Amino acid sequence: MKCERNWNRKSVWKAASALAAATLLFSSVAVYAAEEDDEAASPAAAALTAEFEMSTSYPGMSATAGDTLSFDLDFISPDGAGHDVTLTTETLPDGWEGYFKGSSTEISIVHITGNTSEDSGLVTYSLAIPDDAEDGEYEVELLATTEDGDESALTLTLNVAAEVRGESSFTSEYPEQEGATGTSFTFDATLVNNRSANQTYSLSSSAPSGWSVMIVPSDDTSTAVASIDVEAESSTGLTITVTPPETVEQGDYTIPVTATSANETLSMDLNITITGTYDISLSTSDGLLSFDAYENKASNVTLVITNNGNVDLTNVTLSSSAPTDWEVSFSESTIDTIEAGASVEVTASVTPCEDSITGDYETDITVSTDETSDTAAFRVSVKTSSTWGFVAIAIIVVLVVILGVIFKKFGRR
């Protein structure tokens, strides 16, 4: 019995020891697992286990031949610390151009800080597709290498296809206009950029000698521009003012206007018809613009009206501006037509008012049509009438005779 009790005690003790050992082992494993979880969850641990990476938000794009694309590049540091990273273009299709930019400057090395937010979009990769690129899928491979030898490759996939949104254009709603010499012509134009990238267009014109062309944005009609930026798949309005020289001859004229970007040249023709040169002049038969007149008496002067233009003038009218109470009339106040290069004579009758005093006065006579006009300023010298002079002399003579008779009759006494 004693041996049996001893055997039972030993068995119980062994079982208890085994259970305690198992409990201790389980606790150690649990603590170690918790510590591993804590380390994995901490930022430092995450940084230590992260891989160096260069990436972009849109590694695949559709484009057309001639486009220039930009890719913003993001970086993740392998250990959360700063690194100098060397940037290279590993593969590039023939004829394509690509380079890394930082602050608008071409670069080959960039320093990353390890701060994800600061290293986001730190570098831009600019990619220019040649104008003659054929439709198809192309790949561009970029490589970033740290000073420790960590590498990250990035593949850009470009699907080059024919423009499906329509070609870019430069047009005017009314590209054909007509007017007389001295007229300024205004054209409302629209510049459309249907490409998938922003474009800067240089604006120019090839006008004949002596003509002026001014191009201004439609939203700022006072500032002329030589170039303008147009966002991708958008348009902008332009106002084009064309002014011919004063001596332009009658005829048809073409003004080419061009908008040129790095990828395309857009042109349009503005067509202007000069309907004629309108010019009229007013003078006298002897060329003098002065004459004498007497109060309350009409004085006539012959006017010569000349059409110096190259088109007939119609509905030619005469008008005057004279001192108060003076009268001015014309043998013809309206002339139906004066042919190009021809002259017409008209008599003007000027009558000073009754109480006009001796002196010089100005009388303006104007000839006008719907298209042109001319004014001549006449100097009118008002003279005192000679009749009253003769009457005065006669009275004086009579008085002298009467006085002579009186002295003769009474002088004898």
Side-chain angles (χ1 to χ4, degrees):
M1 292 294 293
K2 185 176 179 181
C3 292
E4 184 177 351
R5 284 195 301 268
N6 290 338
W7 181 86
N8 288 337
R9 288 177 181 175
K10 291 179 180 180
S11 297
V12 171
W13 183 83
K14 290 181 179 180
S17 298
L19 179 61
T23 302
L24 180 60
L25 179 62
F26 177 78
S27 298
S28 299
V29 171
V31 170
Y32 178 76
E35 290 177 352
E36 287 291 318
D37 289 342
D38 290 341
E39 290 180 0
S42 67
L48 290 171
T49 57
E51 295 182 357
F52 171 62
E53 182 182 12
M54 174 179 62
S55 64
T56 184
S57 298
Y58 306 102
M61 285 190 179
S62 295
T64 59
D67 282 351
T68 298
L69 307 178
S70 294
F71 298 85
D72 291 333
L73 303 180
D74 306 326
F75 297 89
I76 295 178
S77 174
D79 52 9
H83 291 278
D84 288 336
V85 177
T86 300
L87 305 171
T88 56
T89 302
E90 292 295 290
T91 61
L92 192 66
D94 292 339
W96 292 43
E97 295 181 0
Y99 59 92
F100 299 90
K101 292 193 305 181
S103 300
S104 302
T105 302
E106 185 173 352
I107 63 172
S108 59
I109 299 175
V110 62
H111 179 78
I112 63 175
T113 64
N115 186 320
T116 303
S117 60
E118 293 182 7
D119 296 337
S120 178
L122 187 61
V123 175
T124 299
Y125 187 73
S126 181
L127 182 64
I129 304 174
D131 293 334
D132 58 355
E134 297 182 357
D135 292 355
E137 187 174 280
Y138 297 82
E139 289 187 350
V140 176
E141 292 187 4
L142 310 180
L143 182 66
T145 307
T146 69
E147 73 275 22
D148 298 330
D150 292 327
E151 294 183 346
S152 177
L154 174 62
T155 300
L156 305 177
T157 303
L158 290 308
N159 183 20
V160 177
E163 188 71 61
V164 297
R165 292 174 294 277
E167 297 295 330
S168 299
S169 62
F170 191 23
T171 59
S172 174
E173 185 176 4
Y174 302 105
E176 298 182 1
Q177 297 185 24
E178 66 176 33
T181 303
T183 302
S184 291
F185 302 86
T186 300
F187 300 85
D188 292 326
T190 302
L191 179 57
V192 179
N193 174 22
N194 270 327
R195 289 183 172 268
S196 57
N198 298 348
Q199 299 283 325
T200 298
Y201 293 92
S202 297
L203 305 173
S204 61
S205 66
S206 300
S209 177
W211 292 60
S212 67
V213 178
M214 183 173 69
I215 305 175
V216 300
S218 296
D219 56 357
D220 181 7
T221 57
S222 61
T223 304
V225 296
S227 64
I228 193 167
D229 297 329
V230 184
E231 295 182 356
E233 300 180 38
S234 65
S235 64
T236 188
L238 297 170
T239 299
I240 305 173
T241 301
V242 181
T243 304
E246 291 291 337
T247 57
V248 68
E249 297 293 333
Q250 183 179 13
D252 296 327
Y253 298 85
T254 299
I255 313 297
V257 183
T258 303
T260 304
S261 72
N263 302 308
E264 58 190 352
T265 298
L266 307 175
S267 299
M268 69 171 171
D269 289 337
L270 303 178
N271 300 303
I272 294 176
T273 298
I274 302 298
T275 56
T277 302
Y278 296 92
D279 185 20
I280 195 170
S281 62
L282 175 63
S283 187
T284 62
S285 57
D286 58 6
L288 297 178
L289 298 180
S290 63
F291 58 91
D292 296 336
Y294 298 90
E295 58 177 317
N296 204 31
K297 183 179 179 180
S299 296
N300 294 332
V301 59
T302 301
L303 305 176
V304 179
I305 304 170
T306 303
N307 179 359
N308 300 311
N310 54 17
V311 292
D312 295 349
L313 297 176
T314 60
N315 192 30
V316 181
T317 60
L318 287 160
S319 60
S320 65
S321 174
T324 304
D325 296 331
W326 285 37
E327 293 182 3
V328 180
S329 60
F330 305 98
S331 58
E332 291 180 87
S333 59
T334 301
I335 304 169
D336 292 336
T337 303
I338 302 178
E339 295 180 354
S343 297
V344 174
E345 291 188 352
V346 175
T347 299
S349 180
V350 180
T351 304
C353 63
E354 187 174 3
D355 57 354
S356 296
I357 61 175
T358 301
D360 292 337
Y361 299 81
E362 181 177 326
T363 296
D364 296 337
I365 297 178
T366 300
V367 60
S368 61
T369 67
D370 292 339
E371 299 83 11
T372 184
S373 66
D374 188 32
T375 298
F378 289 86
R379 181 174 61 85
V380 182
S381 297
V382 176
K383 306 294 185 179
T384 302
S385 177
S386 59
T387 301
W388 291 107
F390 292 136
V391 171
I393 293 173
I395 293 174
I396 292 173
V397 171
V398 170
L399 289 175
V400 171
V401 171
I402 293 173
L403 289 174
V405 171
I406 292 175
F407 281 119
K408 184 176 182 181
K409 180 177 180 181
F410 295 100
R412 295 176 181 177
R413 296 182 181 183

